[in-house]
Amino acid sequence: MPSKSSKILFREASRYIPGGVNSPVRAFRSVDSTPIFIERAAGSRIYDVEGREYVDYVSSWGPMILGHSHPAVVRAIQKAAARGTSYGAPTELETEMAKLIVDAFPSMDMVRMVSSGTEAAMTAIRLARGYTGREKIIKFEGCYHGHADSLLVKVGSGVATLGIPGSPGVPRSLAELTITLPYNDIEAVVSAVEQHKDGLACVIVEPVAGNMGVVPPRKGFLETLRKITRRHGILLIFDEVITGFRLTYGGFQNISGIEPDLTCLGKIIGGGLPVGAFGGKKAIMEKLAPSGPVYQAGTLSGNPVAMSAGLATLNILKKNAKAYLRLDRRTVLLCDELQRLFDHKKIPVRINRCGSMFTLFFTKDDVFDFTSAAKSDTSLYAHYFRKMLANKIYLAPSQFEAAFLSFAHRDEDIEKTLHACEKAIRTLAKIS
Ligand code: KE4
C-alpha cells in the first residue's frame, strides 16, 4: 500500500489539528506552500513520506546539532525507556544534567529542569518578578522567548512569520507590563531604564537573536544591558534556548564574557526530546519552590528519557568541544559561497551568521534589528524556499528563522546545497 502523500496527510491533519500542525511555523503559510510530512531522519538528511531525501537545515529548529538519530543518543533513549518512561520522582540523571550545565555556565550555581523553552522563559520572568518585587519587563522586538502571555508582545519567530502584531488573548493589563525596544538600540535601553527603573524586574534578551532571522549583538549592546541592569538591581536574563551549546560548549555568555543573572536553555540540552531549563546564582534560584516562595512545577520536568537523550548529546559535545571550530568553518564556507552565487547574479542578499546558525535575508541593507529584517523581500524568500525544496534542500519555511548546520553535515551536503542554490537563483533572477 503506497504511503499517503504529504498533501493527503496535511488535509487529514487539518481536519483534527488547527492549521494541520502543532506549531504554526510548520504550516509553510509564509512560503505559500503546504508542509511536507516527515517519515524519518538520519544524520544531515530528512526523508518525507514519499521517500524524498533532503539536506536538512531546520535541524528541528536547533536541537539536532549532532545530526538526526545519532546512534549514541538513540541507544541512551532506548536504554532509559526500557527502565520506565516517567516516575514523577527524582533521579540521579537530573543531578548529572544539572551538574553538567552548571559546570558549562560560570554564571550558574543552580538550574531547574522544565519541558520547553517557553516554560524556562516564563518561569525565569516569574522568578525575576518574585526576587525583585517589581513587575515590569523589557524585551526586544523580533526576539521570541516562547508563547507565555507576558512575552507575546512584538515577537519574532512564528508570530513575525504570520505577520500578527502580538496575540489576542493576552490581557492588556499584562501586555502593559512588557516594554518592547528595538534590538541593538542602546539609546532606547538607556532611556527606557531611566524612565521605568524602579518598576523593572528584568530585561530578557536573545544574546544572539535567532527569531527575526539571525541578528548578532552590536558592540556595546550586551555590555550596556549588563551595566545598566546591575546599576539598578534589574535582573538580566539571557535566553540561550537556541545559542546554548550551539556556538560553543556553553553559551554565548562564555564567548562574550558577559554573565547574565539568569539563563534560559532548551533545544540541544534535550537531544531532540522535550526539555527546557533555567539557571542562575544560588541567591536567586533558591527563591524557587520548594526552597522559596516562587512557584513552578512540572509533571515531566527532568523526565528520565529526556535527560538520557540530553546527557548523551552534551557528553558527546563536551568530548568534542574543538569540533565547534570545524562546524563554524564549514558554515563560513557555505555562507561565503552562497553570497558569491547571489552577488554573481546581482541579487541583493545579506547573510547574517554566528557560529553554525545563519540567515540569508533578501535585502540589500544591513540587518541589525527587526525593522531592518522586516524590509526583506519575503515573497522572494518564499520563492527561493520552494525552489530549494524542489532541489531537495530543506530550509526554514520562514525568512524570520535561523538555518543550522550539524556535526553530521559533510562537504557533500554543502556541494548539494550550492548546486541547488545555483539552480534556484536562475529562476530568481527572472523575478527579482
Ligand atoms: P519552545 O517552547 O518552543 O521549546 O521554546 C521557545 C523558545 C524560547 N526561546 C527561544 C530563543 C526560542 O527560539 C524558542 C523557540 N524557537 C522556535 C523557533 N525559532 C521554535 C519553533 C516553533 O515555534 O515551532
Side-chain angles (χ1 to χ4, degrees):
M1 168 78 164
S3 62
K4 293 175 182 169
S5 70
S6 288
K7 283 214 180 328
I8 290 174
L9 289 172
F10 185 54
R11 200 175 310 130
E12 277 179 351
S14 301
R15 158 72 186 75
Y16 298 100
I17 304 168
V21 291
N22 285 310
S23 199
V25 70
R26 302 178 191 173
F28 280 26
R29 287 200 178 181
S30 79
V31 289
D32 308 322
S33 186
T34 54
I36 58 171
F37 276 57
I38 303 304
E39 177 79 23
R40 67 185 181 90
S44 61
R45 304 296 169 92
I46 197 160
Y47 301 81
D48 71 15
V49 291
E50 289 157 87
R52 283 184 283 261
E53 176 189 273
Y54 304 87
V55 178
D56 177 29
Y57 288 98
V58 174
S59 197
S60 179
W61 305 99
M64 310 320 294
I65 191 167
L66 295 182
H68 292 286
S69 54
H70 186 288
V73 177
V74 173
R75 271 197 308 275
I77 292 170
Q78 288 167 331
K79 226 172 118 217
R83 292 198 301 271
T85 51
S86 180
Y87 317 123
T91 64
E92 190 178 1
L93 291 167
E94 294 156 82
T95 311
E96 239 183 276
M97 174 62 91
K99 201 175 166 333
L100 212 57
I101 291 172
V102 163
D103 288 350
F105 284 81
S107 67
M108 288 198 211
D109 298 331
M110 305 186 93
V111 61
R112 169 63 59 89
M113 304 311 299
V114 291
S115 298
S116 70
T118 293
E119 264 193 281
M122 170 180 81
T123 318
I125 299 278
R126 182 181 310 132
L127 180 57
R129 284 172 162 156
Y131 179 78
T132 61
R134 304 173 186 175
E135 292 190 345
K136 288 180 185 169
I137 68 172
I138 285 178
K139 74 175 287 294
F140 294 90
E141 207 170 0
C143 285
Y144 177 72
H145 308 287
H147 59 89
D149 280 353
S150 289
L151 292 163
L152 272 185
V153 180
K154 292 189 190 172
V155 280
S157 187
V159 182
T161 297
L162 300 177
I164 45 184
S167 170
V170 177
R172 181 187 299 282
S173 57
L174 199 54
E176 281 165 358
L177 293 173
T178 302
I179 298 146
T180 307
L181 303 175
Y183 193 79
N184 273 323
D185 188 333
I186 294 176
E187 284 71 47
V189 169
V190 172
S191 95
V193 169
E194 268 320 302
Q195 189 184 347
H196 300 278
K197 56 182 178 278
D198 302 337
L200 273 170
C202 63
V203 172
I204 184 166
V205 66
E206 291 181 62
V208 177
N211 286 292
M212 48 184 122
V214 175
V215 176
R218 280 183 158 170
K219 191 157 177 35
F221 176 57
L222 298 177
E223 294 81 349
T224 303
L225 289 184
R226 181 60 287 178
K227 214 175 348 176
I228 202 164
T229 49
R230 186 162 280 143
R231 188 180 309 142
H232 296 292
I234 302 164
L235 296 194
L236 178 58
I237 303 175
F238 273 9
D239 180 344
E240 299 225 39
V241 166
I242 289 182
T243 53
F245 297 101
R246 165 58 57 181
L247 307 173
T248 185
Y249 183 74
F252 184 71
Q253 55 195 269
N254 301 57
I255 296 169
S256 64
I258 298 165
E259 288 197 8
D261 299 297
L262 289 172
T263 300
C264 303
L265 296 172
K267 297 184 192 273
I268 289 175
I269 66 168
L273 269 67
V275 177
F278 60 100
K281 292 299 180 219
K282 186 169 182 290
I284 301 171
M285 292 301 288
E286 62 183 5
K287 295 291 179 206
L288 260 184
S291 46
V294 180
Y295 197 69
Q296 176 274 330
T299 303
L300 297 175
S301 297
N303 172 274
V305 184
M307 291 295 100
S308 300
L311 283 167
T313 301
L314 296 188
N315 280 315
I316 291 168
L317 292 173
K318 187 175 183 181
K319 284 198 197 86
N320 299 278
K322 289 196 178 52
Y324 280 99
L325 291 177
R326 208 171 44 247
L327 182 62
D328 294 359
R329 271 201 299 274
R330 182 165 273 137
T331 313
V332 168
L333 180 128
L334 172 61
C335 291
D336 287 352
E337 285 304 303
L338 288 170
Q339 186 74 58
R340 190 181 57 76
L341 289 172
F342 278 93
D343 290 351
H344 178 66
K345 284 289 181 186
K346 298 192 176 19
I347 298 174
V349 297
R350 283 285 177 141
I351 299 179
N352 282 359
R353 179 193 67 80
C354 188
S356 57
M357 57 191 275
F358 70 95
T359 298
L360 186 147
F361 292 97
F362 280 85
T363 178
K364 63 180 179 13
D365 302 318
D366 187 15
V367 178
F368 55 90
D369 63 6
F370 183 64
T371 303
S372 49
K375 286 186 189 138
S376 304
D377 184 333
T378 50
S379 54
L380 217 46
Y381 179 85
H383 183 93
Y384 173 63
F385 169 87
R386 292 194 302 272
K387 289 299 168 198
M388 291 295 269
L389 194 69
N391 288 302
K392 306 294 184 301
I393 308 297
Y394 190 56
L395 300 174
S398 160
Q399 171 70 91
F400 305 116
E401 292 289 356
F404 299 97
L405 263 75
S406 78
F407 287 114
H409 281 73
R410 296 280 171 271
D411 293 345
E412 184 209 341
D413 297 306
I414 306 303
E415 280 146 35
K416 271 179 185 287
T417 306
L418 294 172
H419 186 59
C421 182
E422 259 180 323
K423 288 160 79 177
I425 284 180
R426 278 187 224 123
T427 63
L428 281 170
K430 291 189 196 108
I431 61 170
S432 60

